[in-house]
């Protein structure tokens, strides 16, 4: 699987924002000309010109650079300002307020469910106050119109919310399936690659522990693979608890990799030795069978410019030395 495929949410928001810029930028240019020449709404017209230019700038920028969070925030803020201000200065028969119905969808697609709830509720309150105060319609008609408008807006809001919650949940499940080892719950090789290449921005003082369970095949041979699998689950949990600030990945049958930052090599070796000692002294109880294991650990520090493969190969060499020296060792 391509690592980029794991960023489906970011890709979705990039596409939505880019083509929203194209559409709204074009429409804003048309409306600005109309408001400046026909409606004489000069402030709104100039505001729409600025918005159109920003849309053009963002459309071009997104074609060359990745999406930044602030771009979605600015876009939502600007279009909300234009719709609310247009509703305020125009009469209801101009229909500017109708654009409000499109905004909850954009809020959720661009900013997620939490911002979607807050912004959709805020927009509903603002537009309701503005329309209620300036509507010239008769009370009975106003009530019916207000009821229909409110229910339509709330329906669109509800659909947007349900869609975003479902999409986020599905995306999280798919990401977990792609990134987590199904047996132990530790990260897998793809997860390790994703973390190293995408999420980990600062790789200074980064250390990799590559560890192997000594003579694990004997556990499978003696107790069976079901017991062996349960032992792996227990070991993965033990590693996560012991290395609280690090990340644990299962990279082979009985091989794990741990990534964590330390102040210096001495601290890293002390942490590795602590891991080795805890595993050695832990009796793992599986269905009444007490199993004791040891581990061999290869430790290496990240060197600037290294690829993940080079980083892992460096740790693998240290692990090989630890095993060659008799196992149940830390080497680096």
């Amino acid at each position: 699987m391509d690592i980029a495929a794991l960023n489906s949410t970011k890709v979705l928001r990039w596409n939505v924002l880019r083509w929203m810029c194209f559409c709204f930028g074009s429409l804003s240019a048309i409306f600005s000309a109309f408001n400046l020449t026909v409606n004489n709404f000069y402030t709104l017209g100039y505001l729409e010109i600025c918005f159109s230019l920003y849309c053009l700038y963002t459309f071009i920028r997104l074609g060359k650079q990745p999406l930044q969070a602030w771009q979605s925030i600015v876009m939502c803020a600007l279009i909300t300002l234009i719709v609310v201000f247009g509703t305020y200065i125009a009469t209801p028969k101009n229909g500017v307020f109708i654009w409000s119905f499109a905004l909850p969808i954009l809020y959720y697609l661009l900013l997620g469910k939490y911002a979607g709830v807050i912004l959709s509720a805020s927009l509903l309150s603002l537009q309701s106050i503005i329309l209620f105060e300036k509507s010239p319609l008769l009370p009975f008609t106003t009530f019916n119109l207000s009821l229909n408008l409110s229910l339509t807006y709330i329906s669109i809001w509800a659909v947007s919310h349900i869609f975003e919650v479902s999409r986020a949940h599905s995306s999280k499940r798919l990401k977990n399936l792609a990134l987590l080892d199904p047996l132990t719950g530790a990260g897998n090789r793809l997860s390790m690659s994703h973390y190293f290449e995408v999420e980990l921005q600062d790789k200074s003082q980064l250390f990799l522990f590559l560890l192997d369970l000594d003579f694990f095949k004997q556990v499978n041979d003696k107790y069976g693979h079901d017991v062996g699998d349960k032992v792996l689950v227990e070991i993965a949990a033990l590693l996560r608890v012991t290395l609280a600030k690090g990340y644990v990945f299962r990279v082979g049958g009985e091989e794990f990799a741990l990534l964590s930052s330390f102040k210096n090599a001495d601290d890293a070796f002390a942490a590795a030795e602590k891991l080795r000692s805890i595993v050695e002294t832990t009796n793992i109880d599986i269905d009444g069978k007490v199993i004791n294991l040891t581990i061999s650990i290869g430790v290496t520090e990240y060197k600037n410019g290294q690829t993940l493969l080079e980083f892992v190969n460096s740790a693998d060499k240290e692990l090989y030395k630890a095993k060659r020296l008799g196992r149940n060792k830390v080497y680096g």
Side-chain angles (χ1 to χ4, degrees), residues 235-304:
I235 290 293
L238 183 62
L239 294 177
R240 284 194 293 266
V241 171
T242 306
L243 194 72
K245 295 183 179 180
Y247 292 83
V248 179
F249 308 91
R250 186 186 178 199
V251 294
E254 64 269 14
E255 192 170 75
F256 293 84
L258 292 80
L259 285 171
S260 187
S261 296
F262 296 94
K263 291 182 179 179
N264 51 54
D266 289 340
D267 286 353
F269 278 95
E273 179 59 32
K274 179 182 178 182
L275 279 175
R276 186 206 62 77
S277 177
I278 287 176
V279 172
E280 181 184 25
T281 56
T282 297
N283 293 320
I284 302 174
D285 190 336
I286 306 295
D287 301 328
K289 304 176 182 70
V290 178
I291 299 169
N292 182 259
L293 292 170
T294 61
I295 57 174
S296 300
I297 306 177
V299 180
T300 188
E301 183 176 6
Y302 174 77
K303 295 179 176 59
N304 190 36

Side-chain angles (χ1 to χ4, degrees), residues 15 23 33 105 123 130 195 202 207 250-251 282 296 312 324:
N15 281 317
C23 294
I105 301 171
L123 180 64
I130 293 171
Y195 173 71
D202 182 13
F207 286 82
R250 186 186 178 199
V251 294
T282 297
S296 300
V312 172
R324 190 180 61 185

Side-chain angles (χ1 to χ4, degrees), residues 23-33 45 47-49 51-52 82:
C23 294
F24 278 86
S26 302
L27 291 172
S28 185
I30 295 172
F31 278 118
S32 66
L47 188 60
E48 288 170 334
I49 290 175
F51 178 66
S52 182
I82 289 174

Side-chain angles (χ1 to χ4, degrees), residues 43-63:
T43 303
L44 180 60
Y46 291 129
L47 188 60
E48 288 170 334
I49 290 175
C50 294
F51 178 66
S52 182
L53 292 173
Y54 175 78
C55 286
L56 176 63
Y57 161 77
T58 305
F59 179 80
I60 295 172
R61 183 182 176 90
L62 287 174

